[in-house]
């Protein structure tokens, strides 16, 4: 039986790598993000390479109306969703709280917390109706620890951690599995976005140590969803060898 995965934030980084890995393992995909041209390009590349079905939905997870309208399209087509990867997210700014930009805070809270809630609110009833499904929430080491200047981003990811635990407790009785992956530093577009497009500064975040790559996290997500049905991986923390804790990177040691 071919399975279908719904991945938010599939236009870049972890979401994109997960889309490719799942397609290579015969999953059909529903890929979402705000950049339609990237979705179109990626869908074509995946179909051409893996011969799997790809649906793209272009919407902003911060808009409950857009989320509802797009999930409704799937409901109208009686689509079965086996896996939901709640991945869309971002950091915006890296300032001390007293210097923080309220627009940055709103972006992070609206995307990482409210966006994840809006998507989950629409998809969970489908999974309950189906009587099966697996939700993988992408948290962060920033949801387990905090570090200076991480304040609001860390707060949003602590909320993802809490929601992950809540969902698992609420959904087990419906046969739905809930897991989280919490990575440390992964080189994606994450730092470029966090540093408001400053590519030079973003590159420096990964200087002098071997960061994780998006494929490392995709690999963990695939591991989680490919366990036998009676096994659930509740929570995973994945760090670069050179990052023993949040905000703590050992540089220039050759690893
Ligand atoms: P990228 O910036 O490379 O990818 C982020 C993805 O999220 C993009 O596809 C983007 O798509 C999507 N996205 C962002 N905002 C919205 C929105 N409002 N509506 C819809 N989609 C949105 O970063 P990563 O791949 O690194 O990040 C993925 C997840 O991993 C995030 O939740 C992040 O917090 C988490 N994470 C990242 C780590 C890292 O070090 N990179 C470490 C720990 C966790 P588009 O712009 O097209 O909308
Ligand atoms: C991203 C990882 O350590 O930059 O969630 O907060 S970190």
């Amino acid at each position: 039986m071919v399975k279908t995965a719904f991945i938010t934030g599939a236009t870049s980084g972890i979401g994109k790598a997960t889309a490719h890995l799942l397609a290579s393992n015969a999953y059909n995909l529903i890929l979402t993000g705000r950049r339609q041209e990237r979705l179109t390009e990626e869908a074509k590349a995946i179909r051409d390479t893996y011969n799997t079905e790809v649906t793209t939905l272009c919407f902003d997870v911060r808009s409950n109306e857009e989320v509802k309208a797009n999930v409704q399209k799937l409901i109208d087509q009686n689509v079965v969703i086996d896996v939901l990867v709640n991945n869309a997210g971002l950091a915006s700014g890296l300032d001390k709280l007293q210097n923080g930009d309220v627009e940055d805070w709103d972006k992070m809270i609206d995307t990482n917390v409210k966006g994840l809630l809006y998507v989950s609110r629409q998809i969970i009833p489908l999974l309950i109706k189906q009587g099966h499904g697996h939700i993988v929430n992408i948290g962060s080491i920033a949801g387990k620890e905090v570090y200076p200047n991480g304040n609001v981003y860390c707060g949003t990811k602590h909320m993802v951690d809490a929601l992950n635990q809540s969902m698992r407790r609420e959904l087990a009785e419906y046969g739905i599995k809930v897991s989280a992956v919490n990575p440390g530093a992964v080189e994606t577009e994450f730092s470029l976005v966090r540093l408001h497009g400053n590519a030079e500064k973003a590159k420096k975040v990964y200087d002098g140590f071997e960061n994780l790559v998006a494929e490392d996290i995709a690999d963990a997500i695939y591991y989680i969803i490919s366990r036998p049905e009676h096994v659930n991986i509740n929570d995973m923390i994945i760090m670069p060898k050179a990052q023993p804790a949040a905000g703590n990177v050992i540089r220039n040691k050759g690893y």
Side-chain angles (χ1 to χ4, degrees):
M1 199 41 193
V2 178
K3 291 187 173 177
T4 298
F6 182 112
I7 304 172
T8 66
T11 56
S12 168
I14 294 168
K16 181 174 175 177
T18 304
H20 282 263
L21 183 60
L22 267 51
S24 76
N25 284 284
Y27 271 78
N28 288 332
L29 301 172
I30 300 159
L31 304 181
T32 85
R34 290 165 301 175
R35 288 171 284 184
Q36 180 63 60
E37 49 320 329
R38 286 213 188 180
L39 287 171
T40 306
E41 220 173 84
E42 203 182 321
K44 182 176 177 339
I46 290 174
R47 283 186 203 110
D48 290 352
T49 312
Y50 308 107
N51 198 26
T52 193
E53 283 175 30
V54 186
T55 302
T56 63
L57 297 174
C58 187
F59 64 89
D60 189 328
V61 295
R62 291 173 296 179
S63 161
N64 192 32
E65 289 314 308
E66 286 185 34
V67 171
K68 277 207 260 186
N70 278 281
V71 174
Q72 188 59 46
K73 290 181 197 164
L74 304 175
I75 296 172
D76 292 346
Q77 294 163 31
N78 294 317
V79 170
V80 171
I81 296 171
D82 300 282
V83 174
L84 163 63
V85 184
N86 269 326
N87 166 73
L90 81 176
S92 193
L94 195 58
D95 299 305
K96 288 201 167 36
L97 202 70
Q98 65 272 23
N99 303 323
D101 179 335
V102 171
E103 273 181 33
D104 281 335
W105 297 354
D106 286 347
K107 244 188 243 173
M108 292 186 276
I109 293 166
D110 290 350
T111 309
N112 302 354
V113 178
K114 292 167 76 178
L116 183 143
L117 283 170
Y118 295 157
V119 171
S120 303
R121 173 68 184 85
Q122 296 309 314
I123 302 281
I124 288 171
L126 296 184
L127 306 186
I128 291 176
K129 205 164 156 205
Q130 293 168 188
H132 80 278
H134 197 157
I135 300 173
V136 183
N137 293 308
I138 307 304
S140 169
I141 190 60
K144 301 288 186 182
E145 305 173 29
V146 294
Y147 50 90
N149 301 358
N151 44 62
V152 174
Y153 178 68
C154 295
T156 64
K157 289 298 184 176
H158 274 71
M159 179 112 178
V160 172
D161 188 39
L163 290 172
N164 180 63
Q165 295 183 51
S166 304
M167 284 183 200
R168 193 169 48 253
R169 283 163 176 79
E170 291 175 9
L171 296 176
E173 67 179 293
Y174 301 104
I176 297 163
K177 303 206 275 191
V178 181
S179 307
V181 180
N182 301 282
V186 189
E187 188 169 6
T188 59
E189 292 178 9
F190 177 85
S191 290
L192 190 65
V193 172
R194 173 175 245 178
L195 297 165
H196 301 134
N198 187 328
E200 203 181 318
K201 270 195 182 169
K203 192 96 200 72
K204 284 209 176 102
V205 172
Y206 308 104
D207 271 359
F209 76 106
E210 192 169 348
N211 52 262
L212 298 171
V213 293
E215 287 71 19
D216 294 321
I217 309 309
D219 192 40
I221 294 168
Y222 183 64
Y223 174 81
I224 286 172
I225 62 173
S226 58
R227 292 311 85 212
E229 188 52 32
H230 70 286
V231 177
N232 189 55
I233 309 292
N234 287 1
D235 206 22
M236 245 192 211
I237 295 179
I238 307 176
M239 303 294 281
K241 177 179 170 183
Q243 188 187 9
N248 177 358
V249 174
I250 314 295
R251 296 183 201 261
N252 305 320
K253 292 266 193 190
Y255 55 87

